[in-house]
């Protein structure tokens, strides 16, 4: 597909340089693009067909004559999934990562007056693969790209997590420059290009929920819950005065079900439209227009919004999604409490199906859900998947999902949405190959940070994402002391044992606006940009958002490039070296440290977690190494560059400014 | 039309109460609506057809058997335009004033899932006329309602000031409840309803500019300026290093035109598309789709954005509008400086056509522009107009506009966008009947406030808007000391000589979010709401905005009702009484005061402009009145109610808290 797109693009090249791109997308690629740009007002203008064909041609030069729409492991004849330990991940919502005002004047438009798609497209991701290679990225993790709904949307566009059709790719990713192609072609080309460049592709899947107007309703209205439309204005998770804020236990159920609000809540649910009036349903399901709107009009019923599985969670309802009906009956543990003739309903226990299963699995739905990933494997050759809300899935369903994918490709990798580091073993037993973890939380808290580095990471039974920030968290640059943490956090965690370095799209240019406020943030987190910024208050999950490509933090950009280069150079030490703590002349819980050794060669990582005060200390190299060490050379790398130690000895005197750090190379 | 709409609505009434409205819209109208509402979660649900037909029926009960689509003066056989002196104005952008989440769940949608138009419609303005009557409103001033463009829009919807077609009403105002009617019908019905209720209607017109893709382009491409599309990314007002920030004088022109940036700027302009290629133009002008997009594609040219007529203004370009070509040649004063063969261009002098006219007026355009208001007069019977940027119009054009309207209706009133109180006489000579003035500016600054009350207002040659806030300014409740000013400012200025009380839609419920940041505000002005508010950061000029109808400031609401009632009661004093300053035992510039007398009856207005300290003082009634005064009774009205003075005497002892005020009634 990549070749066909290259051919098409070449046929359309003209002299018109009217497509603006950020400088940083192409910096350092003179060998790829040559002199095809014209600079105006600090923007590069280019003929778009020439630009994209140049990048694709360059990638194709590295291609062999094989089918790249298979997982990279299958291509290379490998069956292991330990590649994830070698991964360096770039996490991207392509809608955001590749959004840019290509007309070069005025403000952002999804599709602009010159006919350019300014929101993200897969075509634009292709030259960005080269950009990612500068950071030694070998794995691209994409947030959901499946067709999403705009019904009950929270911002100006739909959230990628409100999945309208899990089997379809969102049409918005089509680039109008590629007139004759479609999003499937374009995503295929992106995966091919990534695989040629030895970059694996991981997608995000959401089996527990669907958009309120999911395409699945048409053939399976009984896979959804239904309430009367007139009850929607009062629909919300019932308040259980007698209980605190908690995930309910089996012992709480009698309190919950006796609650008056719960009883009212249960009465709101009705049968699915096909049961209410089968004949009418046959007509309504084929009507033109949005299926849910038609059901509301004709039946007066609607799929209810989602809510948290915690009792007394103060979060508002999740208006853009609804839960899928995973069991055909009520939770076993609740069956004694549920009124007779109760219609299928949603409550805390129903949501948390992993803990409160029913007796009759909705196998037809389970088959459907577990076939989603294999469809993407067969069509595009993706290499892995993240499972959203896996913790709420019945364990049997989770098993089915993992098994089917691994049957097709044993090297296929599953990432659990598991934020608790201590649940590593559980996730491993469930068949996952990696967890998200909570490094982004730890790095912002000195004691947690110290624990992460000195205790947790070495004990992990599964790799975890070493992520200073994620799409759900504050940006590392926007944290308190962000000007120090944006360097210190990636430095200390990208080298951790079991850590898989993760760059959250935008992190590398010092972006401060979060993409979502889901974790470790408050509502004020969306107000960090100056209010005259075009994207002030916008969150990429709910609105169009353009990264500040025209205002790149060059210091962090160059630092991360350098850091990832060294991570690559010393990868052997991290993966196969001997892990040892570092011996100092004192330790006050502020000096993060670890080291890796292969024979008498070592790398030592030290960082000052104190962001206000410096630290002077000595490192005892012998004691660190564990026996006598012949020291031939010591090189210290710090943020500003390399410092060779002239007279290397067993005792290394160091001074680290607040938040400063060093990589010390022994005999290397 | 109102009757026809009533009939249609009645034919659609059902029992379904699914249309949510704010309580405050109907409070106090039990006699109109009876018991048609159901309350749920602090919202009123009603059958929409029943609700609207009830309000229309009530209005029609007051109607005579006459045609209400004429100006109220024509209806009443009056030819004077001094009605404006009697006016109490409610200023509204109906798109905002009547916006509400009528489905009663989830978030605002322009057109919602139940088929309700949640953004503003003329139909919804009709019950709000009754609401306005509670504030003794007799004049409704509407911000532009003509068809506006979304091209190069600044927010999520187009600004009402980016006029796509001045002769068409914006389609968005159609209410889908009124299936068989159109916006013209609906606006006609609104004007009829207003006139039945003795409320006049004033519209806002914008003759100087048009949207970038104005409908006028099709038949008059030569009424616009044109530049090459590739120059758009660098198009901006040229910086004139040698000049300060100023409106240029004739002596500045040789500096401006010799400037290098200006020379480059002038080269960007090209002929209109019909001149470039008449044959091609005939094809392109009839193509489907947006006319400007087609011109860009086919000719590679575009109408340029507007900018300020001040040299070295740091405002960015006004991207959603472009200037109309008022003269067929260059400004007379500039003709010596302009290069030969210069294409029609925009520069500071061209924009300020009132000061720098050309020699050849574009009469065809002037006829068109001066026919716009008469079209609305004939079709709907509007009562007045505000002219936007009138100060930049050639005086002859301004004259034409005013004359044509007054020929049709001598009572027709023109309001000048004149913010300088001292320009009252000029505006009067130009034919205007009222100016906007800058009371909103004065009330926020103690010394200015004092000057306004004690000097300026009595000297005015024209009525001015007594407006604590306007659509362009900060909300009075959001000003520093807003909790005091929101009472003090309306109290002191609504009774001023020559002042016309103006309530800016939302002011009466204590809304704090401004509608626009145009005047006396900074970019931070848009961040006054809590960030979890659904409309945080939204400005009604550029985005959908719903007033906080569910969180009404009842204190200010009731206060303004009471204040306007008293304004009505004592109107005779203000219009025909003798104006006198008030004699105190001392004056330190903080005690605002004035009084009106008819024979030995008087009303005295005093207010403490000191918002931090109280004032104790004495009023000498004799000296105020100017001769001996037989005092039979004194009543003091303060915010909290009426206080009769038991033993009235010539010396009245007063204490006013910070920002407090009183209306003192003598012998009334």
């Amino acid at each position: 597909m990549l070749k066909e797109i290259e051919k098409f693009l070449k046929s359309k090249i003209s002299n018109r340089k009217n497509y603006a791109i950020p400088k940083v997308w192409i910096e350092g690629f003179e060998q790829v693009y040559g002199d095809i740009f014209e600079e105006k007002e600090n923007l590069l203008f280019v003929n778009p067909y020439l630009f994209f064909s140049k990048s694709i041609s360059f990638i194709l030069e590295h291609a062999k004559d094989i089918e790249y729409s298979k997982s990279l492991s299958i291509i290379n004849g490998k069956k292991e999934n330990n590649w994830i330990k070698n991964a360096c991940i770039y996490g991207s919502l392509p809608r955001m990562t590749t959004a840019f005002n290509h007309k070069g004047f005025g403000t952002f438009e999804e599709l602009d007056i010159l006919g350019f798609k300014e929101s993200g497209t897969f075509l634009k991701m292709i030259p960005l693969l080269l950009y990612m290679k500068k950071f030694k990225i070998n794995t691209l993790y994409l947030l959901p790209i499946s067709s999403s709904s705009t019904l009950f949307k929270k911002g100006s566009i739909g959230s990628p997590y409100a999945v309208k059709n899990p089997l379809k790719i969102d049409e918005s990713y089509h680039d109008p420059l590629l007139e004759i192609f479609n999003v499937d072609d374009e995503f295929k080309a992106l995966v091919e290009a990534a695989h040629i460049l030895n970059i694996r592709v991981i997608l995000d899947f959401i089996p527990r929920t669907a958009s309120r107007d999911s395409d699945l309703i048409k053939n399976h209205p009984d896979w959804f819950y239904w309430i009367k439309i007139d009850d929607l204005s009062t629909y919300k998770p019932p308040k259980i005065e007698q209980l605190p804020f908690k995930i309910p236990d089996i012992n709480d159920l009698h309190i919950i079900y006796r609650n008056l609000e719960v009883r009212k809540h249960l009465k709101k649910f009705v049968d699915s439209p096909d049961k209410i009036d089968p004949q009418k349903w046959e007509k309504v399901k084929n009507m033109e227009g949005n299926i849910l709107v038609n059901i509301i009009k004709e039946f007066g019923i609607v799929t209810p919004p989602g809510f948290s599985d915690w009792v007394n969670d103060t979060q508002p309802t999740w208006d853009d999604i609804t839960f899928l009906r995973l069991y055909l009956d009520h939770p076993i543990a609740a069956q004694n409490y549920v009124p007779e003739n109760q219609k299928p309903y949603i409550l805390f226990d129903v949501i948390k199906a992993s803990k409160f299963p029913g007796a009759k699995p909705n196998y037809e739905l389970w088959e459907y859900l577990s076939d989603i990933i294999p469809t993407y494997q067969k069509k595009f050759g993706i290499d892995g998947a993240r499972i959203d809300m896996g913790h709420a899935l019945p364990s049997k369903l989770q098993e089915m999902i993992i098994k089917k994918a691994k049957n097709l490709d044993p090297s296929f990798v599953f990432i659990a949405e598991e934020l608790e580091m201590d649940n590593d073993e559980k996730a491993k037993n469930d068949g996952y190959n990696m967890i998200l973890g909570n490094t982004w939380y730890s790095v912002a808290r000195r004691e947690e940070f110290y624990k992460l580095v000195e205790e947790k990471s070495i004990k992990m039974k599964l790799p975890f994402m070493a992520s200073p920030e994620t799409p759900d968290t504050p940006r590392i640059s926007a944290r308190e002391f962000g000007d120090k943490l944006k360097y210190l956090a990636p430095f200390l965690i990208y080298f951790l044992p079991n850590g898989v370095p993760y760059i959250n799209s935008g992190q590398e240019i010092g972006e401060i606006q979060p993409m979502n406020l889901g974790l470790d943030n408050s509502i004020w987190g969306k107000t960090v940009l100056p209010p005259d910024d075009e994207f002030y208050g916008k969150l990429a999950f709910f609105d169009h958002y353009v990264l500040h490509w025209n205002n790149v933090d060059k210091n962090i950009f160059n630092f991360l490039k350098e850091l990832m280069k060294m991570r690559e150079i010393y990868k052997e030490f991290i993966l196969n070296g001997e892990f040892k703590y570092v011996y100092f002349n004192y330790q006050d819980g502020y000096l993060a440290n670890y080291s890796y050794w292969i024979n008498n060669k070592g790398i030592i990582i030290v960082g000052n977690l104190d962001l206000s005060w410096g630290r002077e200390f000595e490192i005892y190299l012998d004691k660190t190494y564990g026996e006598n060490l012949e020291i031939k050379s010591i090189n210290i790398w710090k943020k500003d560059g390399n410092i060779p130690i002239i007279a290397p000895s067993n005792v290394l005197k160091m001074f680290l400014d607040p938040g400063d750090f060093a990589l010390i190379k022994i005999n290397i």
Side-chain angles (χ1 to χ4, degrees), chain A:
Chain A
M1 189 51 67
L2 195 59
K3 274 190 189 151
E4 291 158 51
I5 287 179
E6 181 200 28
K7 195 176 150 199
F8 174 81
L9 287 168
K10 279 186 171 171
S11 76
K12 307 283 278 186
I13 293 169
S14 80
N15 282 328
R16 186 108 187 262
K17 295 181 182 177
N18 59 347
Y19 189 81
I21 58 165
K23 280 188 195 171
V24 73
W25 283 12
I26 57 95
E27 253 170 23
F29 290 110
E30 291 73 19
Q31 85 279 21
V32 179
Y33 300 108
D35 187 23
I36 65 172
F37 304 98
E38 186 183 327
E39 192 167 340
K40 270 197 282 187
E41 297 276 311
N42 213 23
L43 278 174
L44 292 182
F45 284 80
V46 65
N47 180 267
Y49 302 100
L50 182 61
F51 169 63
F52 288 111
S53 67
K54 284 263 182 193
S55 59
I56 293 176
S57 300
F58 176 79
I59 292 169
L60 283 171
E61 279 168 29
H62 297 76
K64 296 177 203 138
D65 191 21
I66 54 171
E67 177 58 72
Y68 280 99
S69 284
K70 292 176 177 167
S71 84
L72 208 50
S73 297
I74 292 181
I75 290 172
N76 295 330
K78 298 263 170 78
K79 296 202 167 171
E80 304 79 33
N81 46 35
N82 59 0
W83 60 262
I84 194 68
K85 291 185 184 163
N86 278 291
C88 288
I89 303 180
Y90 189 82
S92 160
L93 175 63
R95 172 170 100 180
M96 174 194 78
T97 300
T98 66
F100 195 68
N101 178 346
H102 295 296
K103 62 185 175 301
F105 57 80
T107 53
F108 174 89
E109 299 171 277
E110 183 168 346
L111 181 66
D112 73 22
I113 194 167
L114 302 184
F116 301 139
K117 177 77 71 81
E118 295 186 0
S119 76
T121 70
F122 295 131
L123 175 64
K124 293 194 259 176
M125 281 300 279
I126 296 176
L128 280 179
L129 292 171
L130 300 175
Y131 164 92
M132 290 170 210
K133 289 294 269 188
K134 292 199 282 194
F135 296 94
K136 305 296 171 192
I137 294 302
N138 61 19
T139 306
L140 174 60
Y141 159 56
L142 299 182
L143 274 65
I145 56 168
S146 48
S147 128
S148 65
S149 170
T150 57
L151 200 70
F152 302 120
K153 59 184 186 289
K154 294 183 197 161
S156 61
I157 52 176
S159 154
Y161 288 89
V163 177
K164 190 162 166 61
N165 192 326
L167 291 175
K168 278 193 190 157
I169 294 181
D170 201 79
E171 290 293 335
S172 74
Y173 280 117
H174 169 61
D175 200 308
L177 293 170
L178 297 179
E179 302 155 34
I180 58 171
F181 297 90
N182 61 40
V183 273
D184 275 18
D185 299 335
E186 294 160 50
F187 183 60
K188 204 169 174 198
L190 171 61
V191 177
E192 284 175 25
H195 284 171
I196 293 169
L197 294 170
N198 271 308
I199 295 174
R200 283 181 166 86
V201 178
I202 295 178
L203 291 188
D204 198 346
F205 293 95
I206 304 126
R208 182 73 191 90
T209 59
S211 77
R212 302 277 290 278
D213 58 346
S214 164
D215 283 357
L216 297 182
I217 293 174
K218 183 169 177 179
N219 292 319
H220 305 284
D222 55 318
W223 288 1
F224 293 81
Y225 300 91
W226 297 93
I227 63 168
K228 292 182 287 279
I229 183 77
D230 289 351
D231 284 333
L232 198 48
S233 59
T234 60
Y235 186 88
K236 58 185 176 189
K239 174 133 191 60
I240 316 293
E241 301 278 2
Q242 303 95 318
L243 291 180
F245 171 56
K246 65 176 294 194
I247 292 187
D249 288 324
I250 195 150
N251 298 325
D252 299 325
L253 295 188
H254 76 280
I255 297 174
I256 292 173
Y257 279 89
R258 253 189 294 165
N259 180 290
L260 208 70
E261 269 199 48
V262 169
R263 288 180 183 212
K264 275 193 202 162
H265 174 80
L266 293 185
K267 282 194 187 130
K268 290 176 180 168
F269 290 85
V270 294
D271 274 322
S272 54
D274 55 321
K275 287 221 177 58
I276 293 176
D277 187 339
Q279 271 181 311
K280 192 174 175 183
W281 170 243
E282 284 308 310
K283 263 189 300 177
V284 172
K285 75 183 215 183
N286 291 315
M287 280 181 174
E288 265 186 46
N290 185 291
I291 190 162
L292 191 67
V293 173
N294 293 334
I295 293 172
I296 292 171
K297 274 191 198 139
E298 300 294 327
F299 286 91
I301 64 173
V302 66
T303 49
F307 54 79
S308 163
D309 53 9
W310 287 63
V311 169
N312 297 329
D313 195 326
T314 56
Q315 281 185 72
T317 50
W318 306 336
D319 286 351
D320 54 355
I321 57 116
T322 194
F323 289 111
L324 290 167
R325 201 177 148 207
L326 298 176
Y327 287 97
L328 299 174
D329 55 356
H330 310 314
I332 297 170
Q335 284 177 354
N336 283 336
Y337 305 115
V338 177
E340 251 181 280
N341 300 323
Q342 172 63 45
K343 304 299 179 191
Y345 67 95
I346 297 171
L347 201 57
F348 315 108
D349 49 352
V350 176
I351 301 169
K352 192 84 180 167
S354 53
K355 194 169 174 180
F356 298 102
K360 299 181 195 159
N362 186 350
Y363 276 126
E364 207 189 347
L365 171 58
W366 292 20
E367 289 293 344
Y368 176 88
L369 294 175
S370 53
D371 280 337
I372 294 171
I373 293 174
T375 306
Y376 283 84
Q377 290 178 286
K378 290 175 202 160
K379 235 173 165 173
F380 307 107
I382 59 168
D383 304 273
R386 188 194 84 118
I387 302 299
D388 189 82
M389 272 188 87
H391 55 81
L393 294 179
S395 56
K396 176 83 186 149
L397 170 57
Q398 188 168 258
E399 217 178 291
M400 279 171 71
I401 290 172
I402 292 175
K403 211 165 168 184
K404 281 199 193 172
K406 299 232 174 188
N407 279 348
L408 279 178
D409 174 7
S411 77
F412 197 81
V413 149
F414 277 91
I415 303 175
E417 191 196 7
E418 177 56 69
L419 304 179
E420 194 48 71
M421 301 289 270
D422 296 341
N423 284 342
D424 51 343
E425 198 152 3
K426 184 185 173 309
K428 190 177 183 179
N429 293 338
D430 286 347
Y432 290 98
N433 308 101
M434 174 169 164
I435 66 167
L436 296 190
N438 62 6
T439 51
W440 45 269
Y441 179 88
S442 301
V443 298
R445 292 157 176 85
R446 198 265 309 165
E447 284 181 50
E448 294 294 325
F449 202 170
Y450 190 79
K451 249 190 253 172
L452 168 71
V453 172
E454 305 303 322
E455 288 171 34
K456 283 193 181 171
S457 65
I458 185 68
K459 288 190 204 153
M460 293 293 289
K461 302 285 191 299
L462 272 188
F464 59 91
M465 286 240 257
S467 47
E469 59 178 64
T470 83
D472 287 313
T473 72
R475 296 281 189 178
I476 187 70
S477 291
R479 291 276 193 184
E480 201 185 357
F481 294 109
D483 57 327
K484 297 194 175 74
L485 279 181
K486 67 186 175 185
Y487 301 108
L488 177 67
F491 176 80
L492 282 180
I493 68 177
Y494 285 176
F495 287 78
L496 280 181
N498 302 305
V500 174
Y502 179 89
I503 295 179
N504 184 40
S505 185
Q507 176 193 337
E508 78 278 17
I509 61 170
E511 184 71 33
I512 59 172
Q513 178 77 348
M515 299 167 65
N516 183 27
L517 302 176
L519 292 172
D520 207 18
N521 215 332
S522 79
I523 189 68
W524 294 97
K526 75 173 187 182
T527 69
V528 297
L529 291 172
D532 55 350
D533 188 284
E534 186 181 345
F535 295 93
Y536 176 78
K538 306 283 188 206
L539 300 174
F541 274 31
F542 312 112
D543 287 290
H544 287 295
Y545 192 86
V546 179
L547 295 173
H548 289 77
W549 293 115
N550 292 336
N551 189 19
V552 168
D553 178 341
K554 278 286 184 182
N555 291 327
I556 191 66
F557 188 83
N558 291 326
F559 169 77
L560 281 178
K561 270 204 304 193
E562 189 64 21
L563 184 67
M564 296 302 278
K565 205 185 286 172
M566 287 199 302
R567 172 68 171 61
E568 168 102 345
I569 293 172
Y570 300 112
K571 195 160 68 176
E572 257 324 280
F573 282 85
I574 304 169
L575 293 176
N576 300 316
E578 200 176 346
F579 177 89
K580 291 174 188 286
Y581 293 111
V582 183
Y583 266 83
F584 297 137
N585 57 335
Y586 72 95
Q587 176 55 278
D588 59 0
Y590 284 86
L591 287 170
N593 66 87
Y594 53 99
S595 66
Y596 297 99
W597 298 85
I598 296 181
N599 301 324
N600 69 337
K601 293 179 179 174
I603 57 167
I604 296 174
I605 278 101
V606 288
N608 179 8
L609 300 185
D610 194 330
L611 303 174
S612 305
W613 298 92
R615 288 286 182 287
E616 198 169 2
F617 58 99
E618 292 172 359
I619 300 178
Y620 302 138
L621 295 173
D622 271 10
K623 284 191 180 168
T624 298
Y625 181 60
E627 53 188 291
N628 276 346
L629 182 66
E630 192 192 353
I631 298 167
K632 291 175 208 152
S633 74
I634 299 180
N635 278 282
I636 299 183
W637 179 86
K638 294 182 74 171
K639 202 168 50 185
D640 316 308
N642 220 42
I643 311 157
I645 299 299
I646 304 301
S649 82
N650 181 43
V651 176
L652 182 59
K653 280 182 192 272
M654 294 282 297
F655 182 82
L656 290 179
D657 282 324
D660 199 9
F661 48 84
L663 175 76
I664 303 157
K665 304 172 233 177
I666 310 295
N667 296 332
I668 298 177

